[in-house]
Every structure is written in C-alpha cells, then in structure tokens.
Amino acid sequence: MRSFTYERARTPAEAAASAMRKPDAKFIAGGTNLLDLMKLEIETPAHLIDVNGLALDKIEPTQEGGLRIGALVRNTDLAADTRVRRDYGVLSRALLAGASGQLRNMATTAGNLLQRTRCPYFYDTNQSCNKRKPGSGCAAIGGFSRQHAVVGASEACIATHPSDMAVAMRALDATVETVRPDGATRTIPIAEFYRLPGDTPHIETTLMPGDLITAVTLPKPVGGKQIYRKVRDRASYAFALVSVAAIVQRDGTGRVALGGVAHKPWRVEAAEAQMPNGAKAVAARLLADARPTRENAFKLALAERTLGAVLAEAKG
Amino acid sequence: MKSPSDFELSRRKLLAGSAASIALTAAPSIVNAQVPAVEAAVADVSAEWKVSFTVNGTARGLTLDPRTTLLDSLREHLHLTGTKKGCDHGQCGACTVIVGGRRINSCMTLAVMHEGERITTVEGLGTPENMHPMQAAFVKHDGYQCGYCTPGQICSAVAVLDEIKAGIPSHVSADLNAPPQLSNSELRERMSGNICRCGAYSNIAEAISEVAGRPA
C-alpha cells in the first residue's frame, strides 16, 4: 500500500473542503472496497479523510413520508431497520443478498453506491484497463467475459456495477444528497447518478471533485410485492450474474431493475409498460440494445427467466 | 529477530531524524528557535498516528503508520496472533474479530479508524483452561482440521448468535418481518463469510447449533 496522510473530519463541509484542497484525497468510511484496492495499488490516494465521525448514521422519516438514510448507515443496519423491512422490502433483500455478514457490518450506504467494479481485468494490474488506467485499452473485450456487461457497454469498457443495493435503490427511485466543498448541497436522482462507460469508464458517477454523499433519500413507500432475486455461481457471498429488483402491484403493473448486466443498475421505464404482458415482453424491451459477447450471451436468457420467476412469485 | 514492523519503525525514526538535521543545517543562525521547527519537521515526515482502543478488556495505546490494518496492529504490534491473516482482502474471514459487539474483517479496516472502540479477539473469548462455550463446542464436534480459519469461525459464530437474537434478518429468512429462526440454513448463510479450506463445514454447523441450543 502506498503511504498517505490521514485525517478525521469533523463536519461534512469540512470533509468536502479538505477533499477539494488535497490532491488525490479519498473519503474512507467502511473501507471494505477502498482498502482492498489500495493494497493492490489500484487506488493510490495521497490523503485519506476518515468520515466515520460525521454522525451521518441515522435513518429518519422525511416530510414527504419517505426515509432519509444517512451516508454512514451500515448495510446491516439498513437491511434490519423495521421501516425498511416493512415498506422497502426490495432494499432489505438486496442488501442481505450482498457480501458477507462481516462486510455488511462495516460497509456503508454511500460506500456501497461508490464501490468499484469487480472486473478481474480491473483488478489485475498486469492487464490493460481503461477504467484503471485511461487509454490503456480493455483486456476484458476478447478476454474471459462471462461476468461482464451485456447492455450499455462501450468499446472502452464492458465492466458491470457490482452493487445489489443500488439496483434496489434504482427501482425505488432514491435520490442521493451531497455536500459541496463550499457547503452547498445537491440532490441527484439515482437515475442520473451513474454514468455509462462511453470513452471515459474511469468516471463512474456524476459526483464532482470534493462532493461528499451525506444521505440517500427514499420516496414515500409505493407498496406492492417487493422481490430481489439474485442469480450467482454460489448460493451465498458472490456477485450477481444477473439480479432482478422488482416492485409488482396487484394489477400486474410495477417496476423492475436489473443488476449484473451493465455499468449501472439497469432500468428502462418504457419496458415496465410491458409488465402485465409477462417477462418475455419486459426483457425484450429492457435488453433491446444488448450486445453480449459469446461468453456472456447466456445472461439474456437468464435475465428473462429470472424476471419470469420473479413475476410468477409476485402473482403467487 | 526483529519483526518487519520494528524495522519500519526504526527506519521511520531515522527518516524523521534526518529531516530534523536538515532543518538544523538550513537555519544555523537561529539555534534557539530550532525546537518548534524540529518538531514540525518530525510531525510532517513521520506521519504516524496515535490510537487507543480496548482489546479484550485491556486499554492499549499504539503509535502507528496509518496504513496499519486493525489485523496487523493486533498481530504485529500487540502480538495477539490468535487472529489470522488469510487472504488479507476481506474474502476468507480468518481475520474476523468483534468490534463494539459486531463481527468485522480486521484486514479491511485501518487501526486508526477504531479510536476508543472495544475489540474482542479469540484470545478474549476464553482460555485453554476456561473456554468459551463456542470454543468448547468446536473441540467437541471437531469443527476444524488445520485450525487456521478457526479463530475467525469462532468469533463469527459468537456474533452470529447475537445477530439472530437481535432479530437481524438474513438472505434465507422467509419472512423479513418475523424473528429469524435458528435453522441450519440460517446458520450456514450467516457463516458464508468464513471459508474453511479443509471443508469442516458440517462439524462447524453442528458446533454452532449446539451452542444455539438446537439439534443440527
């Protein structure tokens, strides 16, 4: 691990200002992904700003009838919160499907959103990777691409976003709240939070330098049957090949978002109009622009079948 | 033999010392004003942090390179070698310790991030003469072969039973809004972050089940 200087921030604005002032600074909260990447020298921050003391660890009701989840709320606490379990079941389920008990005890809400891809070529510093080293090429294209993106990818990058939580947040229309170095705040709908790789896959979100996530807000509960179905190589403690977050109302309408298939949680609102017509129709619209590799083409059929299983479960 | 961390500490002191002498040579005419300047130079170069936490009921204070993980601080600095380093990347669970009542991977967190916290390692659960019930159950059910993952398995298992007691649901809980069951599938799901390369899983599950007070 490269050496770095360390500080404990006292207020969100102070943390953001410090990040703006110090070149190559990073915030650290749970550390479960950042330290992993620092040990491999994929991330090499010169300065770490420890935000664990910022008291952003509460889940509070909003005036609109939703919930405001502090950036530092640990994954375990968010999944176990009685309001989340009751009103946002898809979020609890997505969180519990991710990582291990130990990691969920450490990982935070904001950190989960910002975790980096687990593309093995991103992780292997001997390989070319436009995300790790812009302009170096993408070894995953033409490489072992079974786990990679089937939709929304580019000539520069076919990595997937690894988060389960973010897929549920996308289905729930969450918004991300940030504070800027000058103390100003911003709210970013999750639909506008993640970027597709394009020719700048190293820029993954619409956050600006120094922006610190302070909370994620959920709108008023929408009810319905909420399901998160994750298909992976092991029954536990593995990243998704394909996952489906679904909210299905009694009349068969609702929302779906996919994980494991793109550089961001994949939701196409127009596809949701097809929900009463069944999984095939929804998947056809959701994945209309898919360009899989020979190795990951199975994800198209898998997504459709997983969606089918979820819609059947919602009916039953 | 000196441990690598001892070496690093002495190397750092040496670097800090050289920086101080550079400061002295740079301003020879104001010798009396040197003391604060030397201190500033030392603080800048050494970049070490003081951290205090309680480990197994004893208050400990350390001065560390901020890169030191909680795991390395326990093993290399406090010489509590019960906690094991397996993958060092949060994947195997051998480094599991209990911090503030919660199990975490001590390899994936920095020691300086735990100021004032209460840490329990396998050494704090029991002793060979007075074992924790979970340790006794692992012995009774042969919950290991090589034993390398065992301290992490035991710390994790102790915390898992507390998590179930606290009503924290899991991926296999059928009803999110009902208290979780102490079933074999619940215990296995919750223990999935602790890998046993020898494959002693069925005996581990039996040991935990016995402590939980249910047949495996």
Side-chain angles (χ1 to χ4, degrees), chain A residues 4-270:
Chain A
F4 53 82
T5 51
Y6 171 84
E7 77 172 285
R8 294 186 189 124
R10 283 165 302 184
T11 67
E14 183 189 288
S18 178
M20 195 67 192
R21 215 165 36 238
K22 305 244 172 52
D24 300 328
K26 285 262 176 198
F27 302 119
I28 188 163
T32 55
N33 188 216
L34 182 57
L35 286 172
D36 181 25
L37 295 168
M38 285 169 65
K39 288 180 182 188
L40 297 166
E41 300 194 355
I42 294 166
E43 295 273 15
T44 53
H47 184 66
L48 274 191
I49 303 163
D50 183 345
V51 295
N52 283 296
L54 296 187
L56 300 171
D57 57 353
K58 310 277 185 308
I59 305 175
E60 295 160 326
T62 63
Q63 285 186 340
E64 294 74 33
L67 284 181
R68 187 169 183 274
I69 303 156
L72 293 170
V73 172
R74 308 287 154 172
N75 287 181
T76 298
D77 296 316
L78 183 54
D81 185 272
T82 50
R83 295 160 293 185
V84 175
R85 283 151 74 171
R86 186 188 64 219
D87 298 329
Y88 306 95
V90 66
L91 179 57
S92 271
R93 287 292 184 195
L95 284 158
L96 296 170
S100 67
Q102 291 95 316
L103 291 168
R104 290 192 297 271
N105 280 342
M106 309 165 81
T108 62
T109 306
N112 189 317
L113 286 179
L114 294 177
Q115 64 180 306
R116 311 292 307 273
T117 185
R118 293 329 194 268
C119 171
Y121 299 96
F122 172 71
Y123 261 76
D124 182 347
T125 51
N126 294 309
Q127 302 280 349
S128 55
C129 171
N130 288 319
K131 192 183 273 300
R132 176 166 31 77
K133 197 176 171 208
S136 65
C138 172
I141 297 173
F144 294 103
S145 56
R146 180 173 172 272
Q147 301 166 55
H148 290 80
V150 293
V151 67
S154 71
E155 295 300 316
C157 180
I158 58 169
T160 56
H161 196 271
S163 172
D164 293 295
M165 184 195 80
V167 182
M169 295 283 199
R170 179 69 181 89
L172 289 165
D173 280 330
T175 52
V176 180
E177 293 181 16
T178 68
V179 61
R180 310 288 311 270
D182 62 4
T185 57
R186 188 154 76 109
T187 37
I188 309 167
I190 192 144
E192 294 161 25
F193 182 74
Y194 291 111
R195 295 162 48 108
L196 285 177
D199 51 12
T200 54
H202 59 292
I203 306 171
E204 295 170 349
T205 68
T206 51
L207 292 175
M208 303 299 286
D211 274 359
L212 174 75
I213 298 177
T214 50
V216 176
T217 300
L218 301 177
K220 193 164 84 142
V222 291
K225 203 122 185 200
Q226 303 201 2
I227 297 168
Y228 189 78
R229 179 74 69 92
K230 180 175 180 179
V231 183
R232 45 185 160 174
D233 287 330
R234 297 190 294 252
S236 184
Y237 198 17
F239 290 96
L241 291 168
V242 164
S243 69
V244 173
I247 302 168
V248 187
Q249 305 296 345
R250 262 175 214 281
D251 61 3
T253 62
R255 308 173 184 181
V256 288
L258 300 180
V261 298
H263 197 253
K264 61 179 190 178
W266 194 254
R267 182 175 171 200
V268 177
E269 274 82 348

Side-chain angles (χ1 to χ4, degrees), chain B residues 5-214:
Chain B
S5 56
D6 290 334
F7 173 72
E8 264 191 41
L9 276 179
S10 47
R11 186 171 149 264
R12 292 202 163 273
K13 277 183 192 135
L14 181 72
L15 284 174
S18 347
S21 33
I22 289 163
L24 280 166
T25 23
S29 59
I30 44 160
V31 173
N32 288 341
Q34 283 302 307
V35 179
V38 169
E39 274 173 9
V42 170
D44 195 35
V45 174
S46 69
E48 285 182 341
W49 268 76
K50 282 190 168 53
V51 64
S52 310
F53 40 57
T54 306
V55 183
N56 301 330
T58 307
R60 309 300 294 254
L62 291 169
T63 303
L64 298 169
D65 181 316
R67 285 176 288 185
T68 314
T69 60
L70 179 60
L71 172 63
D72 285 341
S73 75
L74 294 169
R75 288 183 54 86
E76 309 296 334
H77 295 266
L78 298 175
H79 306 293
L80 291 165
T81 53
T83 307
K84 296 294 185 267
K85 182 182 279 191
C87 68
D88 208 25
H89 284 276
Q91 297 174 5
C92 75
C95 68
T96 303
V97 299
I98 301 170
V99 177
R102 301 188 143 203
R103 57 180 171 144
I104 65 168
N105 300 108
S106 62
C107 75
M108 280 288 101
T109 189
L110 299 172
V112 290
M113 290 159 63
H114 294 283
E115 178 66 36
E117 295 195 279
R118 283 179 304 110
I119 297 153
T120 303
T121 69
V122 72
E123 290 96 339
L125 290 177
T127 62
E129 297 73 35
N130 184 21
M131 284 192 283
H132 185 280
M134 193 64 77
Q135 291 171 314
F138 267 66
V139 172
K140 179 179 164 192
H141 292 276
D142 216 7
Y144 44 78
Q145 280 184 45
C146 80
Y148 196 80
C149 72
T150 311
Q153 298 276 2
I154 289 175
C155 284
S156 203
V158 167
V160 159
L161 296 186
D162 287 343
E163 287 167 15
I164 294 175
K165 208 175 288 174
I168 294 170
S170 87
H171 175 62
V172 300
S173 305
D175 182 353
L176 272 183
N177 298 300
Q181 306 293 303
L182 271 168
S183 65
N184 192 41
S185 67
E186 280 280 1
L187 294 177
R188 283 175 174 268
E189 160 59 25
R190 289 167 192 268
M191 290 297 291
S192 72
N194 291 85
I195 312 295
C196 170
R197 202 175 168 192
C198 302
Y201 295 113
S202 61
N203 294 3
I204 292 169
E206 279 176 21
I208 303 172
S209 295
E210 178 172 299
V211 180
R214 66 167 295 279

